[in-house]
Amino acid sequence: MSTTTLLPLTDVSACCAPLTREPITATQAAGLARSLKAIADPTRLRLISIVAASEGQEACACDLTEPVGLSQSTVSHHLKVLTDAGFLSRRQVGTWAHFALVPGALDSVARLLTTA
Amino acid sequence: MSTTTLLPLTDVSACCAPLTREPITATQAAGLARSLKAIADPTRLRLISIVAASEGQEACACDLTEPVGLSQSTVSHHLKVLTDAGFLSRRQVGTWAHFALVPGALDSVARLLTTA
């Protein structure tokens, strides 16, 4: 998964009415499915949740392996998927990558699923 | 995927605070990931969207193959995944199955993803 092939979440949100308002196009469905696939994984949901609950909604990758009980490389893979999909942002602090919640990214997906 | 192994969406919603409020447990993450996986597919998103836009938010399986351009058996498989996951309900009308949106199911997932 590469950032260049993904429709940014802000575009997904801007382009589409909620899923249940009118039939979505194949292109819109493909974009939303890609975003949903990125978070449709128990470990990735837990990582998002832990990052969100951290101070400043940012956490060092070094603090994320122990809570999910997986290796650093597996956690790094999951963090990359979430970053490529636009749910997390990444910045380097010394030798460690820090990950922060991208404001509005989860909300964009939630808005598309809301029926009211 | 069988209905008996799935946590009903109403339970997912009742059990969990939004993902970003506090770290979710492994069990909660597994339940939400299962629900997200069921909808993280372009065809299934389109089927939900078409059913939702139909009169009474219900559609005959016979009217769902043409809009998505897939075979009846493929569409039936996708409809079963959505029904097992609690997003659609199914009732038999003569020889055809009709599928309706389960009120509140998508909203339960949306609520868990909303950060505000």
Side-chain angles (χ1 to χ4, degrees):
Chain A
M1 204 181 283
S2 133
T3 41
T4 52
T5 60
L6 287 175
L7 194 61
L9 282 170
T10 46
D11 289 3
V12 170
S13 173
C15 82
C16 313
L19 186 59
T20 54
R21 193 174 300 164
E22 55 187 51
I24 55 170
T25 66
T27 307
Q28 290 166 345
L32 179 54
R34 263 197 308 267
S35 296
L36 289 169
K37 264 178 196 146
I39 55 172
D41 175 277
T43 301
R44 295 204 281 273
L45 288 171
R46 292 180 71 196
L47 289 170
I48 287 176
S49 192
I50 294 163
V51 167
S54 302
E55 204 184 321
Q57 299 203 314
E58 189 182 58
C60 174
C62 56
D63 293 326
L64 294 170
T65 51
E66 189 273 330
V68 295
L70 295 168
S71 71
Q72 187 65 52
S73 70
T74 302
V75 169
S76 288
H77 161 74
H78 286 306
L79 290 168
K80 181 171 180 354
V81 172
L82 289 171
T83 305
D84 286 350
F87 292 105
L88 296 181
S89 62
R90 178 192 194 282
R91 69 184 182 100
Q92 198 70 22
V93 182
T95 51
W96 285 101
H98 287 228
F99 292 87
L101 212 61
V102 172
L106 282 169
D107 295 296
S108 294
V109 172
R111 214 160 27 238
L112 293 174
L113 298 179
T114 301
T115 64
Chain B
M1 199 182 283
S2 133
T3 42
T4 53
T5 60
L6 287 175
L7 195 60
L9 282 170
T10 46
D11 289 3
V12 169
S13 172
C15 81
C16 314
L19 186 59
T20 54
R21 192 174 301 163
E22 55 187 49
I24 56 171
T25 66
T27 307
Q28 290 165 346
L32 179 54
R34 262 197 308 267
S35 296
L36 289 169
K37 264 179 195 145
I39 55 173
D41 175 276
T43 301
R44 294 204 282 273
L45 288 172
R46 293 180 71 198
L47 288 170
I48 288 175
S49 192
I50 294 164
V51 167
S54 302
E55 205 185 320
Q57 300 203 313
E58 188 183 57
C60 174
C62 56
D63 293 326
L64 294 170
T65 52
E66 189 274 329
V68 296
L70 295 168
S71 71
Q72 187 65 51
S73 70
T74 303
V75 170
S76 289
H77 161 73
H78 286 306
L79 290 169
K80 182 172 179 355
V81 172
L82 290 171
T83 305
D84 286 349
F87 291 105
L88 295 180
S89 61
R90 178 192 195 280
R91 69 182 182 101
Q92 197 71 23
V93 182
T95 50
W96 285 101
H98 286 229
F99 292 86
L101 212 62
V102 171
L106 283 169
D107 295 297
S108 294
V109 173
R111 214 159 28 240
L112 293 173
L113 299 179
T114 301
T115 63

